[in-house]
Amino acid sequence: MPARAWYSHELCFWHDPGSGAGYVPVGPGVEPLRQFAVDPDLRRAEGLVRAVGVMDHFTQVTPRPAKDDDLLLVHTSEHIERVEVASALGDGDAGVYARVNYHSAMAARLAVGACVEATSEVIAGTFDRAYCVVRPPGHHAEADRAMALCLYNNVAIAARAARRQGVGRVLVLDWDVHHGNGIQQAFYSDPDVLYVSVHQDGLFPPASGLVGEIGSGAGRGTTLNIPLPAGSGHEAYCAALRRLVEPAVRAFAPELVLVAAGVDASGHDPMGRMLCTSQTFHLMATALCELADELAGGRIVFVHEGGYSAWYQPTLVLAIACAVAGLPAPADPFLHSLAHLPGQQLQLHQRRVVEHLLTHHPLLTGT
Ligand code: ZN
């Protein structure tokens, strides 16, 4: 039995945020259009991983839906009720830009269930690594508010569940192109969970994920935001990883690594303005696995978040899967369209963000 686990569930792909232009629902001035956050696109990613034989390196696990006890680790009972009621009605918004259909409440419970179970089994040693390819995503969901396609905060709940299971220090690394405001909110004053977000500066939510947001109270220094300017590519992400993420994580010394592994920082994603390729995601995922091996007994769980390029998302998920399985980066039929853009090199204004954090963030300055 392969020691790497793949968690997914068919019902996660039945969640559908409805018709709209991009992320904007149909309404005044907005014509109906196929929503680009369509979850069957993620099923295609799983299909590619299987078709090229990489799924053979994983033990596939069908998760159980999370119980209220798990959801309540992060969310209020009123929030859970809102998601359940909106979903039971078959249509509507469970929060802010968080539309649901009849299957959404169960899909969201299965997404959380996958993350909690994967984390628990990795802690128990059943698996040494896991990849949860689930929807809906989670990192924007706050304690009492669904937001931007996110109903329950999958990764934050998994981190709390790990702490409940006795894990001392947890790293949550979030490389989704948007800022994970919900994860940050959950752990902003918690010194035992380091939240690191690499995201596009000023994208979403507005004024969230600034360099000065470093945690508060006992948690001062255990939030690290790396807001890279729009247009950042492979070398900017490498600089953030090597110069900021790796030293910060070594200073924190986590016992478990959770990765909010959205793929919407790719150069083909309609939601972001970054230039990452499959090689970027493979490199980052490999580096995080190596950090987990070095510091956390190899215990690492990847969780899918955003990803809106119907054609490129499968290759990006495959790249992460290859890294988790210890395989080289996969063939990428789209790489030629991104790899040689001049913007893939580190630009001066991007390097300034890295250098500012190197000289100001408590985890990196030791203050
Ligand atoms: Zn995103």
Side-chain angles (χ1 to χ4, degrees), residues 139 176-178 264 306 308:
H139 75 151
D176 189 281
V177 78
H178 304 97
D264 46 7
Y308 309 100

Side-chain angles (χ1 to χ4, degrees), residues 68 70-80 112 138 141-146 151-154 156-157 160:
D68 283 1
D70 295 323
L71 304 180
L72 289 166
L73 288 170
V74 167
H75 298 290
T76 63
S77 54
E78 292 79 11
H79 173 84
I80 299 168
V112 174
E142 298 181 340
D144 195 38
R145 183 163 63 160
L151 302 181
Y152 301 132
N153 202 314
N154 306 321
I157 294 169
R160 285 257 165 86

Side-chain angles (χ1 to χ4, degrees), residues 1-4 6 49-60 325 327:
M1 186 174 81
R4 282 78 203 247
W6 182 283
V49 172
R50 187 173 296 110
V52 300
V54 171
M55 195 64 90
D56 296 343
H57 295 261
F58 289 85
T59 298
Q60 282 194 263
L327 301 170

Side-chain angles (χ1 to χ4, degrees), residues 265-346:
S266 89
H268 284 307
D269 199 281
M271 289 282 258
R273 293 295 176 269
M274 300 306 225
L275 296 173
C276 292
T277 72
S278 61
Q279 294 188 339
T280 318
F281 288 102
H282 184 271
L283 182 145
M284 292 196 294
T286 299
L288 266 292
C289 287
E290 288 170 356
L291 275 176
D293 288 345
E294 175 189 330
L295 302 165
R299 300 188 295 190
I300 185 165
V301 178
F302 292 82
V303 178
H304 192 71
E305 292 277 356
Y308 309 100
S309 169
W311 67 90
Y312 201 30
Q313 176 168 250
T315 306
L316 302 172
V317 170
L318 174 63
I320 295 171
C322 285
V324 175
L327 301 170
D332 178 352
F334 308 95
L335 190 61
H336 66 95
S337 62
L338 297 173
H340 305 296
L341 296 175
Q344 294 295 2
Q345 294 154 13
L346 181 65

Side-chain angles (χ1 to χ4, degrees), residues 160-246:
R160 285 257 165 86
R163 296 276 297 129
R164 182 178 62 185
Q165 205 171 329
V167 173
R169 289 180 308 284
V170 180
L171 163 67
V172 177
L173 189 286
D174 182 347
W175 66 48
D176 189 281
V177 78
H178 304 97
H179 181 239
N181 55 293
I183 304 177
Q184 175 169 300
Q185 180 195 65
F187 303 112
Y188 205 59
S189 58
D190 185 343
D192 296 317
V193 177
L194 170 60
Y195 177 60
V196 180
S197 177
V198 187
H199 52 272
Q200 183 182 318
D201 186 25
L203 181 57
F204 184 87
S208 181
L210 309 178
V211 290
E213 296 171 15
I214 61 169
S216 66
R220 183 182 177 277
T222 54
T223 295
L224 169 57
N225 282 301
I226 307 173
L228 294 175
S232 292
H234 186 83
E235 293 300 332
Y237 275 79
C238 286
L241 177 72
R242 302 297 185 207
R243 300 188 67 191
L244 300 174
V245 174
E246 290 182 348

